[in-house]
Amino acid sequence: MIERIGSVVVPIGVALYAVLYLGVQSMYEVFQVTPEQAGIDQSVLLGRLMGTLILLLLVALPLLGIVVGVIWLADKVTFGTVGKLMNAVRRRPWLIAAIAALWSGATYWGLLEVLGGADLAVKVVVAVGLGVLAFLVPFRLLRRKPAGRAGMKVLIGALSGLGVGFLLILQMINGAVEVQETGKANDLLPLVGFQDQWAVLRSAENDKPLYESRWMMLLGESNGAYVLYDCDKMETVRRSMDKTILESIQLNPEREEGFKCGGLAEETQTAEATGQ
């Protein structure tokens, strides 16, 4: 049982990590910077996502144990009927191939959600059609030999990880947009390594307040410069670390109800419109 589970869980984890890096790129693109410009390279990302992967594992293991326990209990209650039914299904390669094909097609749902532009009916048709046309026959052929069955498990695990990853990408992008507009991160962003950290800055040269002592979001630091998001102006700026003092720092600040970013940007636009 553990060997079979491992052959599926490992591809899921590898594929999920690969897709999450794309999600981090998309998340920082909302602020017009790359992860590298915010000091997020592969090693930093791996360290930040390790906690996320561990949490997923801690959640997945009890759920898996519960599923196994429920199946075992159902088999005992039905005097072996459930076990006989599962064995009967396993002896029908076309049925197993069809189930695997439909599941693999459904994993593309996450990609369709990221791309957008399609309604529910179109996504269902594309997912089901893709699964049947692209995976049904190959999966049936793979089930002829033990090596093929093992390869099918790896492929299904990888596709499952990619599907979950693309759904997470969509949530990460939406979360970054929410931060950009409201200055408040949701519960998902810290789990994928995003820092909801804010600071008041002072000049290291003359000890004067910077940016009118407004709270600035610290997106990261790289190449001797802080990458900051100005919530009031809805702008991303870089400032030399040697010339900047972080006077006050806070994580996950509470916001009053209805708070939105862009107050100064709106005032500037209004003043420009009035002047014209």
Side-chain angles (χ1 to χ4, degrees), residues 214-232:
R214 290 182 281 108
W215 286 96
M216 305 284 286
M217 174 177 253
L218 181 60
L219 294 174
E221 58 270 353
S222 178
N223 298 323
Y226 290 118
V227 180
L228 306 161
Y229 174 64
D230 189 337
C231 173
D232 296 290

mmCIF file of all heavy atoms in Angstrom, residues 214-232:
data_model
loop_
_atom_site.group_PDB
_atom_site.id
_atom_site.type_symbol
_atom_site.label_atom_id
_atom_site.label_comp_id
_atom_site.label_asym_id
_atom_site.label_seq_id
_atom_site.Cartn_x
_atom_site.Cartn_y
_atom_site.Cartn_z
ATOM 1 N N ARG A 214 4.526 56.973 5.493
ATOM 2 C CA ARG A 214 3.447 56.030 5.190
ATOM 3 C C ARG A 214 3.979 54.597 5.255
ATOM 4 O O ARG A 214 5.153 54.340 5.026
ATOM 5 C CB ARG A 214 2.868 56.306 3.796
ATOM 6 C CG ARG A 214 2.090 57.608 3.739
ATOM 7 C CD ARG A 214 1.486 57.865 2.378
ATOM 8 N NE ARG A 214 2.482 58.381 1.431
ATOM 9 C CZ ARG A 214 2.991 57.687 0.420
ATOM 10 N NH1 ARG A 214 2.611 56.436 0.230
ATOM 11 N NH2 ARG A 214 3.877 58.224 -0.395
ATOM 12 N N TRP A 215 3.088 53.657 5.567
ATOM 13 C CA TRP A 215 3.464 52.243 5.592
ATOM 14 C C TRP A 215 3.663 51.756 4.161
ATOM 15 O O TRP A 215 2.811 51.944 3.303
ATOM 16 C CB TRP A 215 2.390 51.414 6.285
ATOM 17 C CG TRP A 215 2.379 51.580 7.771
ATOM 18 C CD1 TRP A 215 1.573 52.427 8.491
ATOM 19 C CD2 TRP A 215 3.203 50.918 8.713
ATOM 20 N NE1 TRP A 215 1.844 52.327 9.824
ATOM 21 C CE2 TRP A 215 2.838 51.400 10.004
ATOM 22 C CE3 TRP A 215 4.217 49.957 8.625
ATOM 23 C CZ2 TRP A 215 3.450 50.948 11.164
ATOM 24 C CZ3 TRP A 215 4.819 49.503 9.781
ATOM 25 C CH2 TRP A 215 4.438 50.004 11.039
ATOM 26 N N MET A 216 4.801 51.104 3.936
ATOM 27 C CA MET A 216 5.151 50.556 2.626
ATOM 28 C C MET A 216 5.294 49.042 2.740
ATOM 29 O O MET A 216 5.864 48.531 3.712
ATOM 30 C CB MET A 216 6.463 51.154 2.128
ATOM 31 C CG MET A 216 6.499 52.681 2.086
ATOM 32 S SD MET A 216 5.581 53.364 0.699
ATOM 33 C CE MET A 216 6.729 52.968 -0.630
ATOM 34 N N MET A 217 4.786 48.345 1.756
ATOM 35 C CA MET A 217 4.920 46.884 1.764
ATOM 36 C C MET A 217 6.303 46.493 1.263
ATOM 37 O O MET A 217 6.727 46.932 0.196
ATOM 38 C CB MET A 217 3.846 46.235 0.894
ATOM 39 C CG MET A 217 4.043 44.725 0.749
ATOM 40 S SD MET A 217 2.730 43.940 -0.198
ATOM 41 C CE MET A 217 1.864 43.119 1.106
ATOM 42 N N LEU A 218 6.984 45.654 2.031
ATOM 43 C CA LEU A 218 8.319 45.186 1.662
ATOM 44 C C LEU A 218 8.175 43.877 0.881
ATOM 45 O O LEU A 218 8.004 42.809 1.461
ATOM 46 C CB LEU A 218 9.170 44.987 2.912
ATOM 47 C CG LEU A 218 10.611 44.524 2.697
ATOM 48 C CD1 LEU A 218 11.378 45.540 1.865
ATOM 49 C CD2 LEU A 218 11.300 44.284 4.036
ATOM 50 N N LEU A 219 8.241 43.978 -0.445
ATOM 51 C CA LEU A 219 8.109 42.790 -1.286
ATOM 52 C C LEU A 219 9.341 41.905 -1.219
ATOM 53 O O LEU A 219 9.258 40.694 -1.410
ATOM 54 C CB LEU A 219 7.849 43.206 -2.737
ATOM 55 C CG LEU A 219 6.519 43.906 -3.015
ATOM 56 C CD1 LEU A 219 6.470 44.383 -4.457
ATOM 57 C CD2 LEU A 219 5.349 42.970 -2.729
ATOM 58 N N GLY A 220 10.511 42.495 -0.958
ATOM 59 C CA GLY A 220 11.745 41.717 -0.882
ATOM 60 C C GLY A 220 12.941 42.621 -1.066
ATOM 61 O O GLY A 220 12.811 43.849 -1.160
ATOM 62 N N GLU A 221 14.111 42.009 -1.108
ATOM 63 C CA GLU A 221 15.332 42.768 -1.342
ATOM 64 C C GLU A 221 16.258 41.960 -2.236
ATOM 65 O O GLU A 221 16.332 40.734 -2.141
ATOM 66 C CB GLU A 221 16.023 43.120 -0.033
ATOM 67 C CG GLU A 221 16.391 41.949 0.848
ATOM 68 C CD GLU A 221 15.302 41.557 1.826
ATOM 69 O OE1 GLU A 221 14.289 42.280 1.927
ATOM 70 O OE2 GLU A 221 15.474 40.524 2.483
ATOM 71 N N SER A 222 16.938 42.667 -3.125
ATOM 72 C CA SER A 222 17.849 42.019 -4.064
ATOM 73 C C SER A 222 18.838 43.042 -4.605
ATOM 74 O O SER A 222 18.468 44.204 -4.849
ATOM 75 C CB SER A 222 17.062 41.388 -5.222
ATOM 76 O OG SER A 222 17.919 40.799 -6.165
ATOM 77 N N ASN A 223 20.091 42.602 -4.773
ATOM 78 C CA ASN A 223 21.138 43.454 -5.339
ATOM 79 C C ASN A 223 21.281 44.775 -4.584
ATOM 80 O O ASN A 223 21.426 45.843 -5.188
ATOM 81 C CB ASN A 223 20.873 43.724 -6.822
ATOM 82 C CG ASN A 223 20.892 42.453 -7.648
ATOM 83 O OD1 ASN A 223 21.685 41.545 -7.384
ATOM 84 N ND2 ASN A 223 20.020 42.372 -8.641
ATOM 85 N N GLY A 224 21.199 44.704 -3.250
ATOM 86 C CA GLY A 224 21.399 45.888 -2.429
ATOM 87 C C GLY A 224 20.270 46.890 -2.455
ATOM 88 O O GLY A 224 20.475 48.064 -2.118
ATOM 89 N N ALA A 225 19.058 46.460 -2.837
ATOM 90 C CA ALA A 225 17.926 47.390 -2.904
ATOM 91 C C ALA A 225 16.666 46.718 -2.364
ATOM 92 O O ALA A 225 16.462 45.508 -2.542
ATOM 93 C CB ALA A 225 17.689 47.854 -4.341
ATOM 94 N N TYR A 226 15.845 47.512 -1.669
ATOM 95 C CA TYR A 226 14.537 47.052 -1.230
ATOM 96 C C TYR A 226 13.537 47.229 -2.380
ATOM 97 O O TYR A 226 13.571 48.223 -3.103
ATOM 98 C CB TYR A 226 14.035 47.865 -0.030
ATOM 99 C CG TYR A 226 14.785 47.605 1.255
ATOM 100 C CD1 TYR A 226 15.479 48.634 1.882
ATOM 101 C CD2 TYR A 226 14.785 46.349 1.837
ATOM 102 C CE1 TYR A 226 16.163 48.409 3.071
ATOM 103 C CE2 TYR A 226 15.468 46.111 3.017
ATOM 104 C CZ TYR A 226 16.156 47.144 3.631
ATOM 105 O OH TYR A 226 16.834 46.922 4.795
ATOM 106 N N VAL A 227 12.652 46.266 -2.537
ATOM 107 C CA VAL A 227 11.538 46.392 -3.476
ATOM 108 C C VAL A 227 10.293 46.655 -2.653
ATOM 109 O O VAL A 227 9.894 45.822 -1.827
ATOM 110 C CB VAL A 227 11.377 45.120 -4.334
ATOM 111 C CG1 VAL A 227 10.216 45.284 -5.305
ATOM 112 C CG2 VAL A 227 12.653 44.816 -5.088
ATOM 113 N N LEU A 228 9.685 47.822 -2.834
ATOM 114 C CA LEU A 228 8.596 48.297 -1.990
ATOM 115 C C LEU A 228 7.345 48.554 -2.808
ATOM 116 O O LEU A 228 7.424 48.998 -3.963
ATOM 117 C CB LEU A 228 9.000 49.587 -1.272
ATOM 118 C CG LEU A 228 10.313 49.531 -0.469
ATOM 119 C CD1 LEU A 228 10.821 50.936 -0.215
ATOM 120 C CD2 LEU A 228 10.109 48.782 0.837
ATOM 121 N N TYR A 229 6.206 48.263 -2.201
ATOM 122 C CA TYR A 229 4.932 48.594 -2.833
ATOM 123 C C TYR A 229 4.269 49.709 -2.049
ATOM 124 O O TYR A 229 4.016 49.593 -0.846
ATOM 125 C CB TYR A 229 4.013 47.372 -2.872
ATOM 126 C CG TYR A 229 2.622 47.689 -3.379
ATOM 127 C CD1 TYR A 229 2.426 48.139 -4.684
ATOM 128 C CD2 TYR A 229 1.512 47.562 -2.550
ATOM 129 C CE1 TYR A 229 1.159 48.450 -5.148
ATOM 130 C CE2 TYR A 229 0.244 47.865 -3.009
ATOM 131 C CZ TYR A 229 0.072 48.311 -4.305
ATOM 132 O OH TYR A 229 -1.181 48.620 -4.770
ATOM 133 N N ASP A 230 4.004 50.822 -2.746
ATOM 134 C CA ASP A 230 3.344 51.984 -2.152
ATOM 135 C C ASP A 230 1.837 51.802 -2.318
ATOM 136 O O ASP A 230 1.287 52.024 -3.396
ATOM 137 C CB ASP A 230 3.827 53.259 -2.839
ATOM 138 C CG ASP A 230 3.357 54.514 -2.122
ATOM 139 O OD1 ASP A 230 2.349 54.442 -1.388
ATOM 140 O OD2 ASP A 230 3.986 55.576 -2.293
ATOM 141 N N CYS A 231 1.183 51.395 -1.245
ATOM 142 C CA CYS A 231 -0.258 51.114 -1.309
ATOM 143 C C CYS A 231 -1.057 52.363 -1.648
ATOM 144 O O CYS A 231 -2.025 52.296 -2.409
ATOM 145 C CB CYS A 231 -0.710 50.528 0.033
ATOM 146 S SG CYS A 231 -2.494 50.299 0.197
ATOM 147 N N ASP A 232 -0.670 53.505 -1.116
ATOM 148 C CA ASP A 232 -1.440 54.739 -1.330
ATOM 149 C C ASP A 232 -1.358 55.213 -2.779
ATOM 150 O O ASP A 232 -2.323 55.760 -3.311
ATOM 151 C CB ASP A 232 -0.949 55.829 -0.384
ATOM 152 C CG ASP A 232 -1.188 55.473 1.072
ATOM 153 O OD1 ASP A 232 -2.351 55.452 1.495
ATOM 154 O OD2 ASP A 232 -0.197 55.179 1.769
#
